[in-house]
mmCIF file with all atom_site columns, all heavy atoms in Angstrom:
data_model
loop_
_atom_site.group_PDB
_atom_site.id
_atom_site.type_symbol
_atom_site.label_atom_id
_atom_site.label_alt_id
_atom_site.label_comp_id
_atom_site.label_asym_id
_atom_site.label_entity_id
_atom_site.label_seq_id
_atom_site.pdbx_PDB_ins_code
_atom_site.Cartn_x
_atom_site.Cartn_y
_atom_site.Cartn_z
_atom_site.occupancy
_atom_site.B_iso_or_equiv
_atom_site.pdbx_formal_charge
_atom_site.auth_seq_id
_atom_site.auth_comp_id
_atom_site.auth_asym_id
_atom_site.auth_atom_id
_atom_site.pdbx_PDB_model_num
ATOM 1   N N   . ILE A 1 13  ? 4.733  19.023 -4.484 1.00 0.00 ? 14  ILE A N   1
ATOM 2   C CA  . ILE A 1 13  ? 4.300  17.799 -3.802 1.00 0.00 ? 14  ILE A CA  1
ATOM 3   C C   . ILE A 1 13  ? 2.783  17.672 -3.849 1.00 0.00 ? 14  ILE A C   1
ATOM 4   O O   . ILE A 1 13  ? 2.239  16.584 -4.097 1.00 0.00 ? 14  ILE A O   1
ATOM 5   C CB  . ILE A 1 13  ? 4.826  17.786 -2.355 1.00 0.00 ? 14  ILE A CB  1
ATOM 6   C CG1 . ILE A 1 13  ? 6.344  17.585 -2.367 1.00 0.00 ? 14  ILE A CG1 1
ATOM 7   C CG2 . ILE A 1 13  ? 4.139  16.704 -1.525 1.00 0.00 ? 14  ILE A CG2 1
ATOM 8   C CD1 . ILE A 1 13  ? 7.011  17.760 -1.018 1.00 0.00 ? 14  ILE A CD1 1
ATOM 9   N N   . ARG A 1 14  ? 2.087  18.782 -3.636 1.00 0.00 ? 15  ARG A N   1
ATOM 10  C CA  . ARG A 1 14  ? 0.620  18.748 -3.688 1.00 0.00 ? 15  ARG A CA  1
ATOM 11  C C   . ARG A 1 14  ? 0.129  18.329 -5.070 1.00 0.00 ? 15  ARG A C   1
ATOM 12  O O   . ARG A 1 14  ? -0.812 17.535 -5.196 1.00 0.00 ? 15  ARG A O   1
ATOM 13  C CB  . ARG A 1 14  ? 0.040  20.115 -3.305 1.00 0.00 ? 15  ARG A CB  1
ATOM 14  C CG  . ARG A 1 14  ? -1.488 20.155 -3.286 1.00 0.00 ? 15  ARG A CG  1
ATOM 15  C CD  . ARG A 1 14  ? -1.990 21.502 -2.802 1.00 0.00 ? 15  ARG A CD  1
ATOM 16  N NE  . ARG A 1 14  ? -1.649 21.718 -1.408 1.00 0.00 ? 15  ARG A NE  1
ATOM 17  C CZ  . ARG A 1 14  ? -2.363 21.256 -0.380 1.00 0.00 ? 15  ARG A CZ  1
ATOM 18  N NH1 . ARG A 1 14  ? -3.470 20.547 -0.598 1.00 0.00 ? 15  ARG A NH1 1
ATOM 19  N NH2 . ARG A 1 14  ? -1.998 21.505 0.850  1.00 0.00 ? 15  ARG A NH2 1
ATOM 20  N N   . ALA A 1 16  ? 1.742  16.469 -7.261 1.00 0.00 ? 17  ALA A N   1
ATOM 21  C CA  . ALA A 1 16  ? 2.024  15.041 -7.437 1.00 0.00 ? 17  ALA A CA  1
ATOM 22  C C   . ALA A 1 16  ? 1.003  14.193 -6.679 1.00 0.00 ? 17  ALA A C   1
ATOM 23  O O   . ALA A 1 16  ? 0.552  13.145 -7.170 1.00 0.00 ? 17  ALA A O   1
ATOM 24  C CB  . ALA A 1 16  ? 3.434  14.731 -6.955 1.00 0.00 ? 17  ALA A CB  1
ATOM 25  N N   . PHE A 1 17  ? 0.616  14.660 -5.481 1.00 0.00 ? 18  PHE A N   1
ATOM 26  C CA  . PHE A 1 17  ? -0.375 13.944 -4.685 1.00 0.00 ? 18  PHE A CA  1
ATOM 27  C C   . PHE A 1 17  ? -1.740 13.965 -5.374 1.00 0.00 ? 18  PHE A C   1
ATOM 28  O O   . PHE A 1 17  ? -2.426 12.938 -5.456 1.00 0.00 ? 18  PHE A O   1
ATOM 29  C CB  . PHE A 1 17  ? -0.463 14.575 -3.300 1.00 0.00 ? 18  PHE A CB  1
ATOM 30  C CG  . PHE A 1 17  ? -1.530 13.989 -2.416 1.00 0.00 ? 18  PHE A CG  1
ATOM 31  C CD1 . PHE A 1 17  ? -1.352 12.745 -1.813 1.00 0.00 ? 18  PHE A CD1 1
ATOM 32  C CD2 . PHE A 1 17  ? -2.716 14.676 -2.182 1.00 0.00 ? 18  PHE A CD2 1
ATOM 33  C CE1 . PHE A 1 17  ? -2.337 12.197 -0.996 1.00 0.00 ? 18  PHE A CE1 1
ATOM 34  C CE2 . PHE A 1 17  ? -3.698 14.144 -1.370 1.00 0.00 ? 18  PHE A CE2 1
ATOM 35  C CZ  . PHE A 1 17  ? -3.510 12.903 -0.778 1.00 0.00 ? 18  PHE A CZ  1
ATOM 36  N N   . GLN A 1 18  ? -2.155 15.113 -5.870 1.00 0.00 ? 19  GLN A N   1
ATOM 37  C CA  . GLN A 1 18  ? -3.448 15.229 -6.544 1.00 0.00 ? 19  GLN A CA  1
ATOM 38  C C   . GLN A 1 18  ? -3.485 14.381 -7.811 1.00 0.00 ? 19  GLN A C   1
ATOM 39  O O   . GLN A 1 18  ? -4.512 13.765 -8.141 1.00 0.00 ? 19  GLN A O   1
ATOM 40  C CB  . GLN A 1 18  ? -3.736 16.697 -6.870 1.00 0.00 ? 19  GLN A CB  1
ATOM 41  C CG  . GLN A 1 18  ? -3.983 17.580 -5.648 1.00 0.00 ? 19  GLN A CG  1
ATOM 42  C CD  . GLN A 1 18  ? -5.218 17.177 -4.868 1.00 0.00 ? 19  GLN A CD  1
ATOM 43  O OE1 . GLN A 1 18  ? -6.107 16.485 -5.365 1.00 0.00 ? 19  GLN A OE1 1
ATOM 44  N NE2 . GLN A 1 18  ? -5.282 17.599 -3.600 1.00 0.00 ? 19  GLN A NE2 1
ATOM 45  N N   . LEU A 1 20  ? -1.767 11.617 -8.290 1.00 0.00 ? 21  LEU A N   1
ATOM 46  C CA  . LEU A 1 20  ? -1.888 10.244 -7.800 1.00 0.00 ? 21  LEU A CA  1
ATOM 47  C C   . LEU A 1 20  ? -3.324 9.949  -7.391 1.00 0.00 ? 21  LEU A C   1
ATOM 48  O O   . LEU A 1 20  ? -3.870 8.874  -7.694 1.00 0.00 ? 21  LEU A O   1
ATOM 49  C CB  . LEU A 1 20  ? -0.938 10.049 -6.617 1.00 0.00 ? 21  LEU A CB  1
ATOM 50  C CG  . LEU A 1 20  ? -0.931 8.676  -5.934 1.00 0.00 ? 21  LEU A CG  1
ATOM 51  C CD1 . LEU A 1 20  ? -0.405 7.604  -6.883 1.00 0.00 ? 21  LEU A CD1 1
ATOM 52  C CD2 . LEU A 1 20  ? -0.082 8.713  -4.660 1.00 0.00 ? 21  LEU A CD2 1
ATOM 53  N N   . LEU A 1 28  ? -4.248 4.767  -2.803 1.00 0.00 ? 29  LEU A N   1
ATOM 54  C CA  . LEU A 1 28  ? -4.514 5.540  -1.589 1.00 0.00 ? 29  LEU A CA  1
ATOM 55  C C   . LEU A 1 28  ? -5.474 4.824  -0.647 1.00 0.00 ? 29  LEU A C   1
ATOM 56  O O   . LEU A 1 28  ? -5.876 5.385  0.373  1.00 0.00 ? 29  LEU A O   1
ATOM 57  C CB  . LEU A 1 28  ? -5.101 6.907  -1.965 1.00 0.00 ? 29  LEU A CB  1
ATOM 58  C CG  . LEU A 1 28  ? -4.279 7.765  -2.931 1.00 0.00 ? 29  LEU A CG  1
ATOM 59  C CD1 . LEU A 1 28  ? -4.985 9.083  -3.196 1.00 0.00 ? 29  LEU A CD1 1
ATOM 60  C CD2 . LEU A 1 28  ? -2.887 8.013  -2.382 1.00 0.00 ? 29  LEU A CD2 1
ATOM 61  N N   . VAL A 1 225 ? 10.726 12.762 -0.211 1.00 0.00 ? 226 VAL A N   1
ATOM 62  C CA  . VAL A 1 225 ? 10.626 12.247 -1.585 1.00 0.00 ? 226 VAL A CA  1
ATOM 63  C C   . VAL A 1 225 ? 11.989 11.723 -2.044 1.00 0.00 ? 226 VAL A C   1
ATOM 64  O O   . VAL A 1 225 ? 12.089 10.669 -2.678 1.00 0.00 ? 226 VAL A O   1
ATOM 65  C CB  . VAL A 1 225 ? 10.092 13.329 -2.536 1.00 0.00 ? 226 VAL A CB  1
ATOM 66  C CG1 . VAL A 1 225 ? 10.184 12.875 -3.990 1.00 0.00 ? 226 VAL A CG1 1
ATOM 67  C CG2 . VAL A 1 225 ? 8.641  13.666 -2.190 1.00 0.00 ? 226 VAL A CG2 1
ATOM 68  N N   . ILE A 1 255 ? 2.432  14.330 4.959  1.00 0.00 ? 256 ILE A N   1
ATOM 69  C CA  . ILE A 1 255 ? 1.546  13.213 4.632  1.00 0.00 ? 256 ILE A CA  1
ATOM 70  C C   . ILE A 1 255 ? 1.451  13.023 3.123  1.00 0.00 ? 256 ILE A C   1
ATOM 71  O O   . ILE A 1 255 ? 1.526  11.888 2.617  1.00 0.00 ? 256 ILE A O   1
ATOM 72  C CB  . ILE A 1 255 ? 0.152  13.437 5.249  1.00 0.00 ? 256 ILE A CB  1
ATOM 73  C CG1 . ILE A 1 255 ? 0.231  13.318 6.786  1.00 0.00 ? 256 ILE A CG1 1
ATOM 74  C CG2 . ILE A 1 255 ? -0.858 12.434 4.692  1.00 0.00 ? 256 ILE A CG2 1
ATOM 75  C CD1 . ILE A 1 255 ? -1.054 13.681 7.502  1.00 0.00 ? 256 ILE A CD1 1
ATOM 76  N N   . MET A 1 256 ? 1.315  14.104 2.386  1.00 0.00 ? 257 MET A N   1
ATOM 77  C CA  . MET A 1 256 ? 1.225  13.986 0.927  1.00 0.00 ? 257 MET A CA  1
ATOM 78  C C   . MET A 1 256 ? 2.507  13.399 0.338  1.00 0.00 ? 257 MET A C   1
ATOM 79  O O   . MET A 1 256 ? 2.461  12.541 -0.554 1.00 0.00 ? 257 MET A O   1
ATOM 80  C CB  . MET A 1 256 ? 0.910  15.344 0.302  1.00 0.00 ? 257 MET A CB  1
ATOM 81  C CG  . MET A 1 256 ? -0.509 15.803 0.542  1.00 0.00 ? 257 MET A CG  1
ATOM 82  S SD  . MET A 1 256 ? -0.970 17.309 -0.387 1.00 0.00 ? 257 MET A SD  1
ATOM 83  C CE  . MET A 1 256 ? -0.014 18.545 0.494  1.00 0.00 ? 257 MET A CE  1
ATOM 84  N N   . ALA A 1 257 ? 3.656  13.841 0.833  1.00 0.00 ? 258 ALA A N   1
ATOM 85  C CA  . ALA A 1 257 ? 4.932  13.314 0.344  1.00 0.00 ? 258 ALA A CA  1
ATOM 86  C C   . ALA A 1 257 ? 5.021  11.813 0.603  1.00 0.00 ? 258 ALA A C   1
ATOM 87  O O   . ALA A 1 257 ? 5.520  11.055 -0.244 1.00 0.00 ? 258 ALA A O   1
ATOM 88  C CB  . ALA A 1 257 ? 6.087  14.047 1.008  1.00 0.00 ? 258 ALA A CB  1
ATOM 89  N N   . LEU A 1 258 ? 4.539  11.369 1.759  1.00 0.00 ? 259 LEU A N   1
ATOM 90  C CA  . LEU A 1 258 ? 4.588  9.942  2.086  1.00 0.00 ? 259 LEU A CA  1
ATOM 91  C C   . LEU A 1 258 ? 3.718  9.124  1.142  1.00 0.00 ? 259 LEU A C   1
ATOM 92  O O   . LEU A 1 258 ? 4.116  8.036  0.690  1.00 0.00 ? 259 LEU A O   1
ATOM 93  C CB  . LEU A 1 258 ? 4.160  9.724  3.536  1.00 0.00 ? 259 LEU A CB  1
ATOM 94  C CG  . LEU A 1 258 ? 5.106  10.290 4.600  1.00 0.00 ? 259 LEU A CG  1
ATOM 95  C CD1 . LEU A 1 258 ? 4.513  10.108 5.994  1.00 0.00 ? 259 LEU A CD1 1
ATOM 96  C CD2 . LEU A 1 258 ? 6.485  9.636  4.528  1.00 0.00 ? 259 LEU A CD2 1
ATOM 97  N N   . TYR A 1 259 ? 2.545  9.619  0.814  1.00 0.00 ? 260 TYR A N   1
ATOM 98  C CA  . TYR A 1 259 ? 1.699  8.905  -0.142 1.00 0.00 ? 260 TYR A CA  1
ATOM 99  C C   . TYR A 1 259 ? 2.325  8.898  -1.539 1.00 0.00 ? 260 TYR A C   1
ATOM 100 O O   . TYR A 1 259 ? 2.246  7.897  -2.259 1.00 0.00 ? 260 TYR A O   1
ATOM 101 C CB  . TYR A 1 259 ? 0.296  9.515  -0.183 1.00 0.00 ? 260 TYR A CB  1
ATOM 102 C CG  . TYR A 1 259 ? -0.619 8.932  0.867  1.00 0.00 ? 260 TYR A CG  1
ATOM 103 C CD1 . TYR A 1 259 ? -0.822 9.580  2.080  1.00 0.00 ? 260 TYR A CD1 1
ATOM 104 C CD2 . TYR A 1 259 ? -1.286 7.727  0.655  1.00 0.00 ? 260 TYR A CD2 1
ATOM 105 C CE1 . TYR A 1 259 ? -1.654 9.050  3.054  1.00 0.00 ? 260 TYR A CE1 1
ATOM 106 C CE2 . TYR A 1 259 ? -2.130 7.192  1.615  1.00 0.00 ? 260 TYR A CE2 1
ATOM 107 C CZ  . TYR A 1 259 ? -2.303 7.849  2.810  1.00 0.00 ? 260 TYR A CZ  1
ATOM 108 O OH  . TYR A 1 259 ? -3.132 7.303  3.783  1.00 0.00 ? 260 TYR A OH  1
ATOM 109 N N   . VAL A 1 260 ? 2.972  9.975  -1.893 1.00 0.00 ? 261 VAL A N   1
ATOM 110 C CA  . VAL A 1 260 ? 3.607  10.062 -3.215 1.00 0.00 ? 261 VAL A CA  1
ATOM 111 C C   . VAL A 1 260 ? 4.679  8.981  -3.372 1.00 0.00 ? 261 VAL A C   1
ATOM 112 O O   . VAL A 1 260 ? 4.836  8.402  -4.457 1.00 0.00 ? 261 VAL A O   1
ATOM 113 C CB  . VAL A 1 260 ? 4.193  11.470 -3.445 1.00 0.00 ? 261 VAL A CB  1
ATOM 114 C CG1 . VAL A 1 260 ? 5.154  11.490 -4.636 1.00 0.00 ? 261 VAL A CG1 1
ATOM 115 C CG2 . VAL A 1 260 ? 3.070  12.477 -3.666 1.00 0.00 ? 261 VAL A CG2 1
ATOM 116 N N   . ILE A 1 261 ? 5.431  8.686  -2.309 1.00 0.00 ? 262 ILE A N   1
ATOM 117 C CA  . ILE A 1 261 ? 6.490  7.674  -2.411 1.00 0.00 ? 262 ILE A CA  1
ATOM 118 C C   . ILE A 1 261 ? 5.986  6.270  -2.064 1.00 0.00 ? 262 ILE A C   1
ATOM 119 O O   . ILE A 1 261 ? 6.775  5.325  -1.995 1.00 0.00 ? 262 ILE A O   1
ATOM 120 C CB  . ILE A 1 261 ? 7.707  8.022  -1.525 1.00 0.00 ? 262 ILE A CB  1
ATOM 121 C CG1 . ILE A 1 261 ? 7.337  7.992  -0.031 1.00 0.00 ? 262 ILE A CG1 1
ATOM 122 C CG2 . ILE A 1 261 ? 8.296  9.360  -1.922 1.00 0.00 ? 262 ILE A CG2 1
ATOM 123 C CD1 . ILE A 1 261 ? 8.532  8.175  0.901  1.00 0.00 ? 262 ILE A CD1 1
ATOM 124 N N   . GLY A 1 262 ? 4.671  6.119  -1.866 1.00 0.00 ? 263 GLY A N   1
ATOM 125 C CA  . GLY A 1 262 ? 4.115  4.801  -1.591 1.00 0.00 ? 263 GLY A CA  1
ATOM 126 C C   . GLY A 1 262 ? 4.429  4.279  -0.206 1.00 0.00 ? 263 GLY A C   1
ATOM 127 O O   . GLY A 1 262 ? 4.558  3.067  -0.002 1.00 0.00 ? 263 GLY A O   1
ATOM 128 N N   . PHE A 1 263 ? 4.510  5.184  0.761  1.00 0.00 ? 264 PHE A N   1
ATOM 129 C CA  . PHE A 1 263 ? 4.866  4.805  2.134  1.00 0.00 ? 264 PHE A CA  1
ATOM 130 C C   . PHE A 1 263 ? 3.714  4.103  2.848  1.00 0.00 ? 264 PHE A C   1
ATOM 131 O O   . PHE A 1 263 ? 3.928  3.481  3.886  1.00 0.00 ? 264 PHE A O   1
ATOM 132 C CB  . PHE A 1 263 ? 5.271  6.065  2.906  1.00 0.00 ? 264 PHE A CB  1
ATOM 133 C CG  . PHE A 1 263 ? 6.094  5.811  4.139  1.00 0.00 ? 264 PHE A CG  1
ATOM 134 C CD1 . PHE A 1 263 ? 7.403  5.357  4.031  1.00 0.00 ? 264 PHE A CD1 1
ATOM 135 C CD2 . PHE A 1 263 ? 5.580  6.038  5.407  1.00 0.00 ? 264 PHE A CD2 1
ATOM 136 C CE1 . PHE A 1 263 ? 8.180  5.129  5.170  1.00 0.00 ? 264 PHE A CE1 1
ATOM 137 C CE2 . PHE A 1 263 ? 6.346  5.818  6.544  1.00 0.00 ? 264 PHE A CE2 1
ATOM 138 C CZ  . PHE A 1 263 ? 7.650  5.349  6.419  1.00 0.00 ? 264 PHE A CZ  1
ATOM 139 N N   . ASN A 1 264 ? 2.520  4.187  2.304  1.00 0.00 ? 265 ASN A N   1
ATOM 140 C CA  . ASN A 1 264 ? 1.343  3.566  2.921  1.00 0.00 ? 265 ASN A CA  1
ATOM 141 C C   . ASN A 1 264 ? 1.290  2.082  2.559  1.00 0.00 ? 265 ASN A C   1
ATOM 142 O O   . ASN A 1 264 ? 0.417  1.615  1.833  1.00 0.00 ? 265 ASN A O   1
ATOM 143 C CB  . ASN A 1 264 ? 0.066  4.274  2.469  1.00 0.00 ? 265 ASN A CB  1
ATOM 144 C CG  . ASN A 1 264 ? -0.093 4.316  0.961  1.00 0.00 ? 265 ASN A CG  1
ATOM 145 O OD1 . ASN A 1 264 ? 0.887  4.493  0.220  1.00 0.00 ? 265 ASN A OD1 1
ATOM 146 N ND2 . ASN A 1 264 ? -1.315 4.180  0.468  1.00 0.00 ? 265 ASN A ND2 1
#
Side-chain angles (χ1 to χ4, degrees):
I14 290 171
R15 182 176 294 276
F18 176 76
Q19 292 296 341
L21 179 66
L29 304 180
V226 171
I256 291 173
M257 288 188 289
L259 293 175
Y260 273 97
V261 166
I262 65 174
F264 200 70
N265 56 322

